[in-house]
Amino acid sequence: MASAQPSHKGVTPPISLSLPTSAEITANDALIDELKSQNNFESAEDTERRKKVLQLMQKITAEFVKEAMSKKGMYSQAVINGAGGKIFTFGSYRLGVYGPGSDIDTLIVAPKQVTRDDFFEYFPSVLQRMSSAGAIEELKPVPDAFVPIIKLEYSGISIDLIFASIQLASVPLQLDLKDNNLLRGLDDSGLRSLNGTRVTDELLDLVPQQKTFRTALRTIKLWANARAIYGNVYGYPGGIAWAMAVARVCQLYPQATGSVIVGKFFRIIGKWAWPQPIILKDIESGPLPVRIWNPQVYKGDRAHLMPIITPAYPSMCATHNITSSTKHILTKELHRGGDLVDKIFTKQMQWKDLFDRHTFFTKDYKYYLSIVSTSRDKITQALWAGLVESRLRLLVSDLQADPLIKIAPPFCHGFKREHRCQNEEEVDAVIRGELKYQAIDVKTETVEESKDPIHAVAAEGGADNISVADGANEKKANGSTITIATCQDWKDYNPDVNFLHVIHTRNVDLPDDVFQPGEVKPTRPPKKKATKKDGNAKRELTNITKEDSPTLKKRKLEEDVDQGALPQRNSVKRRQSENTVPVG
């Protein structure tokens, strides 16, 4: 006799089934009002425009499948007409937490007769043929990426198109991707492509109330971005990891309002017994000989510090990049968030206080490490900067290995600057990180704001799959100040084209463009008047040898960097303050 299925969602029973109180409902209404004031919701008109664009993408997909099969000359018209093809969405759009400017992550699924090569060969031309004039603002295929992708700007909407061909002769519009058997016959890229949609759909099925989940997730994502603790590549949870953590709290309080879920989230996740994983359902086995997250079998899985596991087969850890430094920052921020929400519920504070901007540059640290990546042409720079960004966690791990360093938290955005140079001497200055040739009429952007498709793909780990041409010998330099470890082992690394420079920066010397309007840049404290005792100390310092001089050591470090070597740990030891080295 089959065992009865549990009536609750999740791997444990709920903590509370209490219905919301009037005070909790009022707090939830106030939270939604604050989210609206933060411009977190898209207008109804823009949402309708998204739907129309997706409807068009579905028509284009069906036409693309027909054209690809017709070109092969192997199939009857009846087979071609019945082949179908379907688009699926995932990410923030599918979860229902998108806002103004959000992109749409889109998966195109085709029958087995249509290949990935067909997608990159025929889909762009079909798209152009079926689009109105001016609708396509940017079209960038990246077939060699870790997950092959077409980056598209269409009628003001950013769309990421990925592709999978499944082992079916026809893909009907009613197709559901939850069946594990649909994964049979897929290569690694195909599995990764299907994974986003499968995880998102499974997650939505596992939350008790989707409306409550969406309110809470919008809040947590806005908070995490404001506090600069968002982004898998930087060692923080990404969007899907935050979503799974919120979903787990929803399972524990299935009747609660979004505001209550937010408060419980900070307390429960902030006190979570890591490395016990957050899971939304029991990890399942499946039909494929693929790796499933299992710390009892895999040593690498045992090393995960804050594991949050995807619910769809094959289950994976969405937070494998978290380091001890980012875990420390996350725990601190979760506790801070919990304290704030407690005060919000007692009317001592307001929801807007939860979203106060981070103080990473204004007051958190005294010393910073910056890495300036530069190249001699724009396209090469996009790939090089993305590669450097993708290896950020290696630098953090190396710094953490130093016993004198307590934490080395990375900032979760890079900065993209443009410089104008008249000669090689000026180019060399930019390569060393100088900003005096920066184009003052061009606003500094974060790399996310720039929406460079090559940079985005490289930052997600795809640089090794993309080939680049030799850099043009132009007298210009494109720079991005970001943080990272050794990158010279990249297969396309060229010391005459790709440059990496480390700068030890005091908080008072940070570039002006890392501060937002209204923020106060740290200033140098006034010098104390010298006393007789201080004078004696200064005379004693004259006995220090030149080799021990911190200034000369710093100069030697920068000379080593210019020659292509990043600083060793012993070079960093002299630069510590309060055992903390933020990487910004």
Side-chain angles (χ1 to χ4, degrees), residues 27 38 72 123 137 159 161 164 172 194 237 253 279 389 393 397 410 413 445 448 479-480 495 539 578-579:
Q38 297 272 351
K72 298 177 187 294
F123 189 90
E137 297 161 13
I159 304 175
L161 297 167
L194 285 184
Y253 296 88
I279 56 176
E389 187 176 333
R393 65 188 185 278
S397 297
H413 299 289
E445 295 179 313
E448 289 78 13
S480 300
R539 284 193 292 272
E578 301 174 348
N579 294 325

Side-chain angles (χ1 to χ4, degrees), residues 305 323-329 331-332 364-365 367 395-410 569 572-573 575-583:
L305 300 179
T323 66
S324 60
S325 288
T326 53
K327 179 185 176 184
H328 174 89
I329 298 300
T331 302
K332 182 180 74 171
D364 287 354
Y365 310 104
Y367 292 103
L395 172 61
V396 173
S397 297
D398 187 58
L399 291 172
Q400 289 171 167
D402 192 308
L404 295 184
I405 298 176
K406 182 179 179 180
I407 56 171
R569 290 193 208 109
V572 178
K573 289 181 182 178
R575 312 303 305 170
Q576 306 322 309
S577 173
E578 301 174 348
N579 294 325
T580 301
V581 181
V583 185

Side-chain angles (χ1 to χ4, degrees), residues 88-91 94-95 105 107 147 162 177 190-203 240 310-313 316:
F88 296 83
T89 59
F90 58 101
R94 178 70 181 94
L95 289 173
D105 295 311
L107 166 68
V147 177
I162 61 176
L177 295 179
L191 283 171
R192 288 190 289 267
S193 295
L194 285 184
N195 187 56
T197 296
R198 284 169 51 84
V199 168
T200 305
D201 288 352
E202 190 83 58
L203 190 158
I240 194 63
T310 57
Y313 170 84
M316 307 172 189

Side-chain angles (χ1 to χ4, degrees), residues 344-495:
I344 291 169
F345 271 96
T346 57
K347 301 187 184 304
Q348 299 176 63
M349 301 189 82
Q350 298 178 328
W351 283 111
K352 66 179 182 179
D353 298 316
L354 182 64
F355 309 120
D356 282 349
R357 181 174 159 83
H358 64 84
T359 53
F360 189 93
F361 297 114
T362 54
K363 67 178 184 180
D364 287 354
Y365 310 104
K366 186 176 181 180
Y367 292 103
Y368 296 78
L369 285 180
S370 298
I371 290 184
V372 180
S373 69
T374 53
S375 301
R376 288 187 174 273
D377 71 273
K378 188 173 183 179
I379 295 178
T380 302
Q381 172 59 18
L383 187 55
W384 173 237
L387 171 89
V388 173
E389 187 176 333
S390 74
R391 301 191 180 183
L392 168 123
R393 65 188 185 278
L394 302 180
L395 172 61
V396 173
S397 297
D398 187 58
L399 291 172
Q400 289 171 167
D402 192 308
L404 295 184
I405 298 176
K406 182 179 179 180
I407 56 171
F411 186 61
C412 68
H413 299 289
F415 295 95
K416 183 176 181 179
R417 301 184 176 99
E418 290 189 18
H419 307 265
R420 295 196 178 103
C421 306
Q422 302 298 320
N423 51 55
E424 282 298 322
E425 182 179 348
E426 293 180 359
V427 169
D428 289 341
V430 171
I431 288 171
R432 293 194 303 271
E434 295 185 19
L435 300 179
K436 58 185 177 182
Y437 302 111
Q438 184 176 352
I440 59 176
D441 58 330
V442 179
K443 181 183 176 182
T444 298
E445 295 179 313
T446 65
V447 293
E448 289 78 13
E449 289 171 337
S450 69
K451 293 185 177 181
D452 189 302
I454 296 295
H455 181 109
V457 168
E460 292 166 3
D464 288 330
N465 300 318
I466 304 173
S467 297
V468 295
D470 292 337
N473 189 21
E474 301 175 74
K475 292 184 179 179
K476 64 180 180 178
N478 298 279
S480 300
T481 303
I482 47 184
T483 55
I484 204 56
T486 304
C487 298
Q488 284 88 347
D489 60 347
W490 178 41
K491 66 180 180 64
D492 286 320
Y493 173 72
N494 183 340

